[in-house]
Amino acid sequence: MNDTSPLSATVTPASLLAAIDLGSNSFHMVVAQLIDGEIKLQDVMSEKVQLAAGLDADKVLSEEAQQRGLECLARFAQRVADLPRRAIRIVATNALREAVNSREFLERAEGVMQTSLEIIPGREEARLIYLGVCQTRPPQDGMRLVIDIGGGSTELVLGEKFQPRALESLEMGCVSFTQRYFPDGQISKAAFQKATYAALRELMSIQKRYRRLGWSNCVGSSGTIKAIRNACIGLGLAEEHITARALDQLRQKILDYRHVDEITEVKVERRALLPAGLAILCAAFDSLGIREMAFSEGALREGLLFEMAGRLQHEDIRERSISMLMRRYHVDRHQAERVERSALRALEQLRDTWGLNDPQHVQMLRWAAHTHEIGRAISHAQYHKHSAYLLQNSDIAGFTNLDRQQLALLARSHRRKFPKDDFKQLPDSRQQACRRLAVLLRLASLLHRNRSHAKLPPMQLAVDGKQLSLRFPAGWLEQQPLTQADLEQEAEYLKSLGLKLQVS
């Protein structure tokens, strides 16, 4: 497969890259330079936004929390104003996964940053964290356990070298647990015990599997674990790593306080969240039998940077994920490649007229061509709906929630009645392009319905307002009665989009 990464066309080997992580507690940005395959950090910015604290009982993100986030992003935007938009990747995590009005915030944030934002699934967050840790820690033999306690979720990954073997994202974080168990800053043994028990219950779902797989070294990442490690070292409880004994001694020390304002072992901005973060880490040590934990400066944003660099060097994890899906569901590769070629030829002809000039449009159409038939592994009847379900609900490494949603919509709409209302699930800025890609996939799939190895003749596509014209060489269509009938039916389907298909 040819690399068509959005970055590959615009970023040179010595170009700047920016990775931005919209966490539930803090927003982080890293700006780096890629020189001869090596990443050199240039700037780091971090602000405590506490987005998760703005979620109410109905999971609505408050206007105040949104404003905090937008003001932070305005400062980030100034720093990266001169970078190509495709050299910036922005991902959001648990708080925006949870928020029922996340689309509203994303659209406002995209207006500030002038580029797209992505909400990534929990396991994708875990994968990127693991990548960031592995790239910034010395290589070690054997299995590695990585734990990252965020504001709204905790990610736990077991992996060997650069390959994750088990990925989990649990619904527990230092901000959400602070709101639930330490809302007024008061510290008590009873509250700490409740927080620990709640974390232990979350960990029960992975405890047996992770212990069975085992690991030879354990690494923690991000601010909460860094604060706990620094507190252990500052108190003389540990020299470099967090040990189970040091963690227990720190717990006893913190429980001697009555209010978070009395905690002097960590920075002021970390005090309010320390008891909750400590309870979660104590539960992890206890549940998984951890004896010692090292710390990594690398985490999600570093993982983003290294993945961006990998895509520049033709190592796009998304390509591997699509290939794995095709193998898992026994996709007819020859048919997928036929549909891909025809869909891309159609895109080339309508690229300018329909405004499909972003390299991401090429990628999405390719991936859809490769996966639109995976539902056949379940049943031929309504297989397009099965394909959509699998794409929407599978963990696909490298793909965001929005990526999966668009792929699922393309698969769902590639045949039969066009589900135009389903596209309203997408952000307004993505709907029209995705509908148009769906039309191209439909035509390509229809033209290869007979699954023949014979090449199609040259076809010409053109758009004039609401009229879509499809032309074949003289006499060819009359010799293809099935294709002719299918195109007549397709013309009826496309009327729902306000498109008039004219075939000659």
Side-chain angles (χ1 to χ4, degrees):
M1 295 180 184
N2 295 325
D3 179 67
T4 52
S5 165
L7 291 174
S8 62
T10 58
V11 181
T12 64
S15 291
L16 292 178
L17 305 174
I20 300 174
D21 158 23
L22 309 187
S24 300
N25 184 42
S26 301
F27 285 9
H28 304 274
M29 180 171 72
V30 179
V31 180
Q33 193 170 26
L34 182 63
I35 305 174
D36 296 328
E38 294 292 323
I39 287 180
K40 306 293 184 183
L41 291 185
Q42 281 209 342
D43 201 359
V44 177
M45 294 178 67
S46 179
E47 293 192 24
K48 187 177 180 182
V49 174
Q50 285 202 302
L51 214 56
L55 288 172
D56 65 18
D58 296 319
K59 301 295 184 182
V60 175
L61 187 63
S62 70
E63 177 61 24
E64 292 78 10
Q66 292 192 51
Q67 281 299 326
R68 292 196 300 270
L70 294 172
E71 289 168 7
C72 173
L73 288 177
R75 291 183 280 274
F76 285 4
Q78 181 183 346
R79 175 62 183 83
V80 296
D82 293 335
L83 271 66
R85 297 301 89 182
R86 294 188 180 96
I88 303 168
R89 190 170 177 203
I90 310 172
V91 301
T93 57
N94 188 262
L96 288 171
R97 287 197 291 266
E98 292 286 308
V100 296
N101 58 336
S102 59
R103 182 185 295 184
E104 172 193 332
F105 176 78
L106 286 185
E107 290 176 351
R108 296 169 74 181
E110 286 179 348
V112 172
M113 297 300 302
Q114 293 298 299
T115 191
S116 62
L117 281 73
E118 313 162 59
I119 300 176
I120 56 175
R123 289 186 178 179
E124 175 65 6
E125 180 182 355
R127 185 187 69 82
L128 289 168
I129 288 168
Y130 182 79
L131 178 60
V133 168
C134 289
Q135 293 282 4
T136 52
R137 291 283 304 174
Q140 288 182 288
D141 293 330
M143 199 80 84
R144 169 179 282 165
L145 171 64
V146 172
I147 300 179
D148 185 296
I149 301 173
S153 63
T154 295
E155 281 64 49
L156 302 99
V157 188
L158 277 176
E160 195 169 8
K161 296 183 178 177
F162 288 93
Q163 184 63 47
R165 304 295 182 189
L167 296 159
E168 290 295 342
S169 179
L170 302 180
E171 294 294 319
M172 55 184 188
C174 58
V175 175
S176 57
F177 266 40
T178 295
Q179 291 176 305
R180 194 181 309 171
Y181 301 107
F182 309 97
D184 52 4
Q186 299 292 327
I187 301 172
S188 69
K189 291 182 179 180
F192 192 90
Q193 190 173 60
K194 286 180 181 179
T196 305
Y197 285 165
L200 286 169
R201 286 194 296 272
E202 286 287 330
L203 287 157
M204 282 180 64
S205 63
I206 68 167
Q207 182 184 32
K208 287 184 179 179
R209 180 159 60 104
Y210 273 49
R211 282 193 170 226
R212 183 179 69 252
L213 290 170
W215 60 88
S216 57
N217 65 96
C218 176
V219 180
S221 62
S222 293
T224 295
I225 292 178
K226 182 178 183 178
I228 291 171
R229 172 181 176 266
N230 290 346
C232 289
I233 294 172
L235 289 168
L237 306 177
E239 294 182 359
E240 182 181 4
H241 299 156
I242 302 172
T243 63
R245 184 167 182 237
L247 196 62
D248 185 59
Q249 290 175 317
L250 179 61
R251 178 186 62 81
Q252 294 177 43
K253 176 76 173 175
I254 298 302
L255 288 178
D256 284 339
Y257 298 132
R258 294 186 178 182
H259 195 277
V260 294
D261 289 343
E262 299 175 41
I263 301 174
T264 59
E265 288 79 12
V266 297
K267 294 178 180 179
V268 173
E269 62 269 21
R270 279 282 164 190
R271 290 176 184 173
L273 303 178
L274 185 69
L278 184 60
I280 292 170
L281 191 59
C282 285
F285 265 64
D286 182 39
S287 175
L288 300 176
I290 301 169
R291 294 189 295 272
E292 183 176 270
M293 172 182 280
F295 177 73
S296 169
E297 293 289 349
L300 175 58
R301 50 202 173 276
E302 287 77 19
L304 283 170
L305 276 180
F306 284 105
E307 177 143 290
M308 292 168 77
R311 292 179 184 180
L312 279 177
Q313 299 166 21
H314 310 281
E315 298 173 358
D316 193 338
I317 183 66
R318 296 172 299 178
E319 299 291 352
R320 195 190 324 161
S321 296
I322 293 296
S323 292
M324 289 176 65
L325 277 176
M326 295 175 74
R327 288 196 299 272
R328 182 183 306 158
Y329 296 111
H330 312 293
V331 168
D332 181 342
R333 286 185 174 272
H334 296 298
Q335 175 69 359
E337 289 168 2
R338 287 190 287 268
V339 172
E340 176 194 7
R341 283 193 297 271
S342 292
L344 292 181
R345 280 198 295 267
L347 175 62
E348 185 63 34
Q349 295 182 57
L350 299 185
R351 182 192 304 273
D352 295 329
T353 314
W354 265 1
L356 299 174
N357 295 297
D358 193 321
Q360 179 71 13
H361 297 142
V362 177
Q363 288 179 309
M364 195 57 65
L365 192 56
R366 288 179 55 248
W367 294 329
H370 291 173
T371 59
H372 70 286
E373 289 193 336
I374 63 174
R376 285 176 176 268
I378 296 175
S379 170
H380 179 269
Q382 304 290 311
Y383 76 82
H384 54 302
K385 296 181 181 179
H386 300 316
S387 296
Y389 178 84
L390 291 171
L391 290 167
Q392 181 70 65
N393 295 283
S394 298
D395 287 318
I396 312 175
F399 283 79
T400 66
N401 289 346
L402 183 56
D403 289 337
R404 296 204 325 267
Q405 191 175 22
Q406 290 182 86
L407 265 184
L409 280 169
L410 291 174
R412 168 68 180 83
S413 59
H414 88 270
R415 66 193 288 261
R416 304 285 178 87
K417 184 178 178 181
F418 199 98
K420 62 177 183 177
D421 290 340
D422 289 3
F423 287 79
K424 295 177 182 178
Q425 302 167 15
L426 296 174
D428 292 343
S429 60
R430 309 290 179 93
Q431 291 178 25
Q432 186 179 66
C434 196
R435 280 195 297 266
R436 288 173 171 176
L437 290 175
V439 171
L440 301 182
L441 181 64
R442 289 173 71 88
L443 291 174
S445 176
L446 181 156
L447 292 172
H448 291 284
R449 181 178 178 182
N450 63 359
R451 312 180 85 84
S452 171
H453 291 283
K455 287 185 178 182
L456 287 177
M459 61 178 181
Q460 293 182 340
L461 267 175
V463 170
D464 183 4
K466 292 293 185 179
Q467 180 167 299
L468 176 62
S469 301
L470 175 60
R471 294 183 179 181
F472 297 99
W476 181 83
L477 191 58
E478 288 74 8
Q479 298 174 19
Q480 315 295 326
L482 174 61
T483 301
Q484 191 169 25
D486 283 344
L487 286 169
E488 289 173 0
Q489 178 62 68
E490 184 64 16
E492 292 299 315
Y493 286 140
L494 293 183
K495 284 181 180 178
S496 67
L497 291 179
L499 274 179
K500 182 180 178 181
L501 176 63
Q502 185 178 64
V503 182
S504 60

